[in-house]
Amino acid sequence: MRSLPTRRIAAVALTAAASVVLLAGPASAHVTVQPGNAQQGGYTAVDFRVPNENDTASTVKLEVNLPLDHPLASVRTLPMPGWTATVEKSKLDKPIKVHGNDVNEAVSKITWTADAGTKIAPGQFQEFRVSLGPLPTDTDKLIFKALQSYDNGDVVRWIDEAKDGQPEPAKPAPVLTLTKATSSDGHGATATATASPAADGHGHGDSAAKEQAADSSAKTSDSTARVLGVVGIVVGVIGAAVGVLGLRRRNAS
């Protein structure tokens, strides 16, 4: 008679462990900006990382909206085989000064559309690279609202903004956190901003060093998240197993 409660408790423990495993993946499977931070006032290269969360459909389009309340004068996409990037610009209500020149319009949206035969299949992800700058100095973050379209017609809107003191929304918008620039030259320039500008003389280009730095930071962040996730899963499963074994020994005695 004592075995029935034991079995029920064991089932609950195993179910809890399984829930940890199932929930660990989707919790981090959002459209994100990698790396997630950059210094104010400089130029940087970021990847919009897009995981496929649908088990039966494939991602075929990504739309990323750039904030016009903090416009970016230089926005360039890295060509990606199998995808066509379309850049849309909007006129600014108030011109901004960049390298002493007035800029009256800025990129407001980038759309990547998959060519025939190209897709982000279930269980896969893709990264879309963009160079941005100069980054604003009057805000601590840039929010990029994104729309992810599937070949079955579904559209996931990654547009919700996180609020201080509240849980993360179900579909959070990608956020690039901006930190204060640190420099010894007394001009407040960032490490990326002081890198050699492109040959066009406007400082729009990204050096190979900046590309490598962005890649390294993104990979480090992703690897750390994966390791922590795996450790949490293992601890949960081991705890459940220990509880079940303890109950069995108790019943045997």
Side-chain angles (χ1 to χ4, degrees):
M1 295 296 293
R2 291 164 58 187
S3 62
L4 184 57
T6 300
R7 290 177 182 175
R8 287 180 177 173
I9 294 173
V12 171
L14 292 175
T15 300
S19 298
V20 172
V21 175
L22 291 174
L23 294 175
S28 59
H30 302 325
V31 174
T32 58
V33 177
Q34 300 292 335
N37 56 77
Q39 287 191 348
Q40 295 175 342
Y43 290 80
T44 190
V46 300
D47 293 316
F48 288 98
R49 182 171 297 171
V50 183
N52 193 322
E53 295 185 318
N54 196 311
D55 294 332
T56 59
S58 299
T59 298
V60 292
K61 186 168 72 171
L62 173 69
E63 300 173 61
V64 175
N65 293 278
L66 281 69
L68 288 180
D69 55 343
H70 298 288
L72 299 167
S74 176
V75 177
R76 300 187 179 189
T77 60
L78 182 70
M80 180 181 299
W83 294 83
T84 299
T86 303
V87 176
E88 298 181 24
K89 292 185 177 182
S90 296
K91 186 176 179 60
L92 300 176
D93 294 333
K94 182 180 179 181
I96 58 174
K97 286 280 188 181
V98 179
H99 304 297
N101 299 317
D102 285 336
V103 176
N104 296 298
E105 63 178 12
V107 173
S108 55
K109 183 166 70 171
I110 307 173
T111 302
W112 286 272
T113 305
D115 299 338
T118 301
K119 60 186 177 181
I120 308 175
Q124 298 180 348
F125 75 94
Q126 184 61 271
E127 293 180 333
F128 301 86
R129 170 152 290 205
V130 181
S131 68
L132 307 169
L135 300 174
T137 57
D138 58 349
T139 182
D140 60 359
K141 63 183 177 181
L142 291 176
I143 299 175
F144 302 92
K145 296 185 177 183
L147 276 65
Q148 180 180 8
S149 299
Y150 289 87
D151 56 9
N152 65 352
D154 290 347
V155 177
V156 180
R157 300 169 61 83
W158 302 97
I159 63 173
D160 297 333
E161 298 185 30
K163 304 295 183 183
D164 292 340
Q166 296 184 10
E168 181 184 63
K171 302 297 179 185
V175 176
L176 178 64
T177 300
L178 302 180
T179 59
K180 293 291 185 181
T182 56
S183 175
S184 59
D185 62 5
H187 298 290
T190 68
T192 52
T194 55
S196 298
D200 62 8
H202 297 291
H204 293 157
D206 291 305
S207 67
K210 289 188 293 179
E211 296 283 350
Q212 293 173 357
D215 282 337
S216 176
S217 180
K219 290 177 181 177
T220 300
S221 176
D222 185 57
S223 297
T224 301
R226 289 174 185 272
V227 170
L228 292 176
V230 171
V231 170
I233 292 171
V234 171
V235 171
V237 173
I238 291 176
V242 170
V244 172
L245 289 175
L247 289 172
R248 287 183 177 176
R249 289 175 179 173
R250 224 171 132 189
N251 288 334
S253 63

